[in-house]
Amino acid sequence: MKSISIGLLGLGTVGTGVVKIIKNHQDQLMHQVGCPVEIKKILVQNVHKKRPVEIDPNILTSNADDILFDQDIDVVIEVMGGINATKDYLITALRQGKHVVTANKDLMALHGSELLTVASEYGCDLFYEASVGGGIPILRGLVDGLASDRITQLMGIVNGTTNYILTKMTNEGRSYDEVLKEAQELGFAEADPTSDVEGLDAARKMTILATLGFSMHIDLDDVQVRGISNVTEEDIKYGKKLGYTMKLIGYAHREGEKVEASVAPTFLSNNHPLASVQNEYNAVYVYGEAVGETMFYGPGAGSLPTASAVVSDLVAVIKNLRIGVNGKSAVTPQYPKRLKEDSEKYSKYFLRIHVQDEVGVFAEITTIFAKHGVSFEEILQLPIKKNETSEIVLVTHQASLTSYEQILQELYDLQAVKKVKSTYRVVRK
Amino acid sequence: MKSISIGLLGLGTVGTGVVKIIKNHQDQLMHQVGCPVEIKKILVQNVHKKRPVEIDPNILTSNADDILFDQDIDVVIEVMGGINATKDYLITALRQGKHVVTANKDLMALHGSELLTVASEYGCDLFYEASVGGGIPILRGLVDGLASDRITQLMGIVNGTTNYILTKMTNEGRSYDEVLKEAQELGFAEADPTSDVEGLDAARKMTILATLGFSMHIDLDDVQVRGISNVTEEDIKYGKKLGYTMKLIGYAHREGEKVEASVAPTFLSNNHPLASVQNEYNAVYVYGEAVGETMFYGPGAGSLPTASAVVSDLVAVIKNLRIGVNGKSAVTPQYPKRLKEDSEKYSKYFLRIHVQDEVGVFAEITTIFAKHGVSFEEILQLPIKKNETSEIVLVTHQASLTSYEQILQELYDLQAVKKVKSTYRVVRK
């Protein structure tokens, strides 16, 4: 029985996990795909470096061509990361008729469409389940499980670092800076955490999810992004008082033929299924017209969960290989891209402002909202002892983004408003 | 372009949902499967009954043979329920080379293995995603998404009626009888609720899940079942005090080559992902050695969610049809069945007993536990004013079922123990 040969690009923690799973699950893999699976070559930077897993040194190479042009290699697994050079490798692999499994969300968010087109041209599979949500089989869930439905909403906690930070801030009442520092010491956050805390990582994943979920090609630039670095422990405390939990939410919504996508710190009502997702866990909430609410929960990262998703994709590729149907499973976007205008994006908002503690100020403020047709769900007015200042915390009913931005501008311009402390999107179940 | 012809067995609420989805999603379906999809015949009891959906009366029939022996029908969708007659229909359909999609958990739990064998012999697909968890794509999640992993634990809230009842009892402090009556009036519970409240429905679903998850043929009789009809509001109150939420949990665990499966009311620690699953929602928690914890959440029943799962299966069948690979996706169990002995089944337990309020009684009780090597995680002793009775509530550390049953027997036999009020399995995260 012919065995399937794998070329592995990269041998970091995920790559090592892939090697371990394929080694330790050889019987199970045989049972699933009906033939042996063998890693034939591994691309590394330094072939002499000591590795935490036992590997025949003869299969290591520092020359990508040894894999990309090896006629015996059926499937290339890419777990090296990076964008431009990696993209070239994968395009070469596909043109050589090799199927590709990748865990690279940055690459897929930026060049997924192009890579999928090349794969389709050359009759190859290109699977990327591990690029979103680590071990959560969310992409298959979107493509297969909800195939018959019309998905109108996707909400995701898709970045473990920020969820860890917000969970600690919420449960322990600590500041962003303090928790971030601790997270860095514990290895839950990178030395340069920008891509995580400013929401870019989450935006990349939402690009991939929205493209699949809405069957419409969404670009990274279409996703409005705001990170968590300005979230304060006071904001979270006020939210708690009102029954909300703060999460960094990737939000994608379809109405009629138009969609919107964003990433922003968001207050979720405590009964929302995403509100109880804690620490470094990820979850994606999907609303379909027929199925209603579903949610997929699991570890969003980690070398073994990600490696497990990579091997699941590998199993799918090999099953397709054995029945000769590779390159047919990709679903090209059905709809042309149509984005909502700001005037078509509706949300509730939390707003916290400091105002002069004088007669008539509250009326001035509420008049601005009324003028734009926006009413309130909840209002809290609290005296602050110093400087004759009052704090006003309010939650609006639905407002269009256009109206809300005009309201904010008019509030800034109001003499009595000393400071707009913070504002967040609010999602209630 | 040849269209795919469907024969529908049954036109109740799920069947009506299937008709609606296929009608309203014709474009989307075309895009997914590349050809038109048409319902050619529908089996009903009464062809003259008024229907809540517009249907050409000429496609209704009360004779199953009109569908089973129609050479043009490619796929039979079974949403009529029932066991013996339905099984005969499906076997006939498979032998006639028709692919089958069913939402019938009772049938699959009892005769799934036989039906899958017939399907495989005749090269037909037999898909049954809708039989477990309504709209949650959990079966695909088990087979595909976690293909590369070794699943060691499955825990499910897989019955909406009991979860609704327990949620109401927990949130509103009301009694089982009162909440059940209300649920019946609201249509959330059947007039005869036995199959739901006594855990049989959940056991059937766990049979299907454990068979797939462990790749081992598990029979309904292998699942130990206990329902919720003896759960009291006091029990729930004590659980709350200790940080636990009461849920009807289907539990399947694998250790080495042996498995156990049960359905029982269980105290979950509040931080367990399943603890926050409320009302009629279902969720399945899966622990895999590589991926760690994942959870699938969604509506466990309902005509549209179930119909949506049925149509997802239909899409999968048609994709297979178009590339000519039907009958190859079923994974036959890899391992022979090996069940744990009671002495190999470990759990923590909650126990509430009434004892005589006398010196030395507590020592007598703890001596019994100590003799069997079982220690305590928490103990609460509360005086009860009348009859010189004390109430003792305790949570044990891990104990084997054998030890625990012996302990219970010795407690029953103890003069000072007036009553064993209740005992439940405890699962902490």
Side-chain angles (χ1 to χ4, degrees):
Chain A
M1 191 167 11
K2 186 184 172 299
S3 72
I4 297 292
S5 288
I6 313 295
L8 190 62
L9 305 179
L11 190 56
T13 55
V14 175
T16 307
V18 171
V19 172
K20 277 188 194 161
I21 291 178
I22 291 179
K23 209 165 177 171
N24 299 341
H25 288 70
Q26 198 55 240
D27 283 359
Q28 214 177 327
L29 280 172
M30 274 278 279
H31 178 77
Q32 292 234 14
V33 301
C35 65
V37 176
E38 178 209 9
I39 296 179
K40 197 183 171 202
K41 281 260 157 59
I42 304 176
L43 176 68
V44 294
Q45 285 189 308
N46 176 356
V47 297
H48 302 297
K49 191 174 148 190
K50 214 171 142 50
R51 307 281 167 184
V53 61
E54 205 185 308
I55 288 174
D56 175 1
N58 295 318
I59 71 170
L60 299 180
T61 174
S62 55
N63 180 359
D65 289 355
D66 288 350
I67 290 175
L68 304 176
F69 295 97
D70 182 331
Q71 296 306 316
D72 289 343
I73 286 179
D74 306 286
V75 186
V76 168
I77 294 178
E78 186 271 302
V79 286
M80 61 189 277
I83 297 185
N84 292 328
T86 314
K87 180 187 160 197
D88 292 343
Y89 286 169
L90 297 194
I91 286 181
T92 305
L94 292 167
R95 289 194 174 140
Q96 290 295 316
K98 301 188 191 317
H99 311 288
V100 170
V101 173
T102 175
N104 193 328
K105 70 177 164 300
D106 302 356
L107 181 60
M108 287 308 293
L110 289 171
H111 304 294
S113 167
E114 184 185 342
L115 286 166
L116 287 164
T117 304
V118 176
S120 169
E121 273 170 27
Y122 287 84
C124 291
D125 282 337
L126 167 57
F127 288 168
Y128 52 102
E129 182 69 73
S131 68
V132 181
I136 320 174
I138 171 67
L139 299 189
R140 282 213 180 72
L142 287 181
V143 174
D144 293 340
L146 304 173
S148 60
D149 204 350
R150 182 180 152 86
I151 294 167
T152 56
Q153 195 178 311
L154 286 161
M155 281 173 67
I157 294 174
V158 289
N159 179 271
T161 303
T162 47
N163 203 43
Y164 176 85
I165 292 172
L166 291 175
T167 301
K168 287 274 165 192
M169 287 177 72
T170 303
N171 294 348
E172 299 168 14
R174 290 157 70 200
S175 76
Y176 169 78
D177 289 328
E178 198 187 321
V179 174
L180 171 61
K181 192 156 165 275
E182 189 190 271
Q184 286 171 319
E185 285 163 10
L186 293 170
F188 288 123
E190 310 262 349
D192 175 1
T194 316
S195 150
D196 289 320
V197 300
E198 296 307 343
L200 182 62
D201 176 79
R204 286 176 171 152
K205 292 172 184 161
M206 289 310 294
T207 303
I208 299 172
L209 287 174
T211 296
L212 267 178
F214 298 151
S215 198
M216 186 184 292
H217 181 69
I218 305 297
D219 291 298
L220 187 54
D221 289 343
D222 302 327
V223 184
Q224 281 187 318
V225 186
R226 179 181 156 199
I228 65 162
S229 55
N230 294 319
V231 174
T232 66
E233 62 268 40
E234 294 90 47
D235 292 337
I236 290 179
K237 215 168 59 190
Y238 279 117
K240 267 190 181 174
K241 216 176 267 183
L242 297 166
Y244 297 115
T245 305
M246 173 72 78
K247 295 287 176 194
L248 182 67
I249 294 295
Y251 179 84
H253 188 253
R254 166 155 73 175
E255 210 161 2
E257 294 170 4
K258 289 184 166 184
V259 305
E260 66 175 293
S262 63
V263 169
T266 302
F267 276 127
L268 300 178
S269 61
N270 289 339
N271 65 344
H272 196 289
L274 288 172
S276 53
V277 175
Q278 303 238 325
N279 298 315
E280 75 279 18
Y281 277 89
N282 282 17
V284 179
Y285 169 96
V286 180
Y287 190 91
E289 282 179 354
V291 78
E293 301 183 292
T294 58
M295 187 174 83
F296 301 78
Y297 166 100
S303 55
L304 270 183
T306 306
S308 147
V310 165
V311 180
S312 290
D313 272 351
L314 176 66
V315 167
V317 171
I318 300 175
K319 282 183 176 175
N320 284 349
L321 252 174
R322 291 185 52 85
I323 53 183
V325 294
N326 302 94
K328 296 188 183 165
S329 41
V331 178
T332 51
Q334 179 176 11
Y335 305 106
K337 181 163 83 182
R338 290 198 58 195
L339 299 174
K340 288 194 208 173
E341 305 295 327
D342 283 357
S343 60
E344 297 168 308
K345 297 175 184 167
Y346 278 82
S347 176
K348 300 179 177 195
Y349 292 97
F350 166 101
L351 174 68
R352 184 157 80 95
I353 47 180
H354 281 186
V355 299
Q356 279 169 27
D357 193 0
E358 284 170 6
V359 174
V361 169
F362 199 80
E364 280 188 82
I365 290 166
T366 50
T367 303
I368 292 177
F369 281 85
K371 206 178 72 187
H372 291 282
V374 175
S375 56
F376 305 114
E377 203 165 276
E378 290 185 88
I379 301 181
L380 239 78
Q381 181 168 0
L382 308 133
I384 293 181
K385 283 292 159 278
K386 55 179 182 183
N387 303 332
E388 296 171 330
T389 299
S390 276
E391 183 156 61
I392 295 177
V393 174
L394 52 85
V395 178
T396 71
H397 281 296
Q398 296 286 351
S400 78
L401 183 54
T402 311
S403 301
Y404 190 65
E405 282 180 344
Q406 283 167 0
I407 289 171
L408 282 182
Q409 192 52 56
E410 291 178 35
L411 288 174
Y412 280 119
D413 294 345
L414 210 63
Q415 183 111 45
V417 172
K418 294 184 168 179
K419 194 161 189 195
V420 174
K421 295 287 287 182
S422 60
T423 181
Y424 300 105
R425 177 192 272 274
V426 170
V427 175
R428 298 191 70 126
K429 208 193 135 176
Chain B
M1 190 167 14
K2 188 186 170 303
S3 72
I4 298 291
S5 289
I6 313 295
L8 190 62
L9 305 179
L11 189 56
T13 55
V14 175
T16 306
V18 170
V19 172
K20 277 189 194 160
I21 291 178
I22 292 179
K23 210 165 178 172
N24 299 341
H25 289 69
Q26 197 57 239
D27 282 0
Q28 214 177 329
L29 279 172
M30 273 277 281
H31 179 77
Q32 292 236 11
V33 302
C35 65
V37 176
E38 176 209 9
I39 296 180
K40 197 183 171 203
K41 280 260 157 59
I42 305 177
L43 177 67
V44 294
Q45 283 188 311
N46 177 357
V47 295
H48 302 296
K49 193 175 147 188
K50 216 173 141 47
R51 307 281 167 185
V53 62
E54 204 186 308
I55 288 173
D56 174 0
N58 294 318
I59 70 170
L60 298 179
T61 173
S62 56
N63 180 359
D65 289 355
D66 288 349
I67 291 174
L68 304 176
F69 294 99
D70 182 332
Q71 296 306 314
D72 290 342
I73 286 179
D74 306 287
V75 185
V76 168
I77 295 178
E78 186 271 302
V79 286
M80 60 189 277
I83 298 183
N84 292 328
T86 314
K87 180 186 159 198
D88 292 343
Y89 286 168
L90 297 193
I91 286 181
T92 304
L94 292 167
R95 289 196 175 139
Q96 291 294 315
K98 302 188 190 319
H99 310 289
V100 170
V101 173
T102 175
N104 193 328
K105 71 178 165 301
D106 301 355
L107 180 60
M108 288 308 293
L110 289 171
H111 304 295
S113 166
E114 185 186 341
L115 287 166
L116 286 164
T117 305
V118 175
S120 167
E121 274 171 26
Y122 286 84
C124 291
D125 282 338
L126 168 56
F127 287 169
Y128 52 102
E129 181 70 72
S131 68
V132 182
I136 321 173
I138 171 67
L139 300 189
R140 283 212 181 70
L142 287 181
V143 174
D144 293 342
L146 305 172
S148 61
D149 203 351
R150 182 181 152 84
I151 294 167
T152 57
Q153 196 178 310
L154 287 162
M155 280 172 67
I157 294 175
V158 287
N159 179 271
T161 303
T162 47
N163 202 44
Y164 176 87
I165 292 172
L166 291 174
T167 302
K168 287 276 164 188
M169 288 177 70
T170 302
N171 294 350
E172 299 169 14
R174 290 156 72 199
S175 75
Y176 170 77
D177 289 328
E178 199 185 322
V179 174
L180 171 60
K181 193 156 164 275
E182 190 189 270
Q184 286 172 318
E185 284 162 8
L186 293 170
F188 288 125
E190 310 261 350
D192 176 2
T194 315
S195 150
D196 290 321
V197 299
E198 296 308 343
L200 183 61
D201 176 80
R204 286 176 171 153
K205 292 170 183 163
M206 289 310 294
T207 303
I208 298 171
L209 287 173
T211 296
L212 268 177
F214 298 151
S215 199
M216 185 184 293
H217 180 70
I218 305 296
D219 291 297
L220 187 54
D221 289 344
D222 302 327
V223 184
Q224 280 187 319
V225 186
R226 180 181 155 199
I228 65 162
S229 55
N230 294 319
V231 174
T232 66
E233 62 268 40
E234 294 90 48
D235 292 337
I236 291 178
K237 215 166 60 188
Y238 279 117
K240 268 190 181 175
K241 214 175 267 183
L242 297 165
Y244 297 115
T245 305
M246 172 73 75
K247 295 287 177 194
L248 182 68
I249 294 294
Y251 179 84
H253 188 252
R254 165 155 73 174
E255 208 162 5
E257 294 170 4
K258 289 185 167 183
V259 305
E260 66 175 295
S262 62
V263 169
T266 302
F267 275 126
L268 300 178
S269 61
N270 289 338
N271 65 344
H272 196 288
L274 288 172
S276 54
V277 176
Q278 302 238 325
N279 299 315
E280 75 279 17
Y281 277 90
N282 281 18
V284 179
Y285 169 96
V286 180
Y287 190 91
E289 282 178 354
V291 79
E293 300 183 292
T294 59
M295 187 174 81
F296 301 78
Y297 166 100
S303 54
L304 271 181
T306 307
S308 147
V310 164
V311 180
S312 290
D313 272 351
L314 176 66
V315 167
V317 170
I318 300 175
K319 282 184 175 173
N320 283 350
L321 252 174
R322 290 185 54 84
I323 53 182
V325 294
N326 301 93
K328 295 187 183 165
S329 43
V331 178
T332 51
Q334 179 175 11
Y335 305 105
K337 180 163 83 182
R338 290 196 60 194
L339 299 175
K340 288 194 206 172
E341 305 295 326
D342 283 357
S343 60
E344 297 168 307
K345 297 174 185 167
Y346 278 82
S347 177
K348 298 179 178 194
Y349 292 96
F350 167 101
L351 175 67
R352 184 157 81 96
I353 47 179
H354 282 185
V355 301
Q356 279 168 28
D357 194 3
E358 284 169 6
V359 173
V361 168
F362 200 79
E364 277 189 84
I365 290 167
T366 51
T367 304
I368 291 176
F369 280 87
K371 206 178 72 188
H372 291 282
V374 175
S375 56
F376 304 113
E377 203 164 276
E378 292 185 87
I379 299 181
L380 240 78
Q381 183 168 359
L382 310 132
I384 293 183
K385 284 291 161 277
K386 54 178 185 185
N387 304 329
E388 299 173 325
T389 300
S390 275
E391 184 156 60
I392 296 177
V393 174
L394 53 85
V395 178
T396 71
H397 282 297
Q398 296 287 350
S400 78
L401 183 54
T402 311
S403 301
Y404 191 64
E405 282 181 342
Q406 284 167 0
I407 289 170
L408 282 183
Q409 191 53 55
E410 291 178 35
L411 288 174
Y412 278 119
D413 294 346
L414 210 63
Q415 184 110 45
V417 172
K418 291 184 170 178
K419 194 160 188 195
V420 175
K421 294 288 286 182
S422 60
T423 181
Y424 301 104
R425 177 192 273 273
V426 170
V427 175
R428 298 191 72 124
K429 208 193 136 174

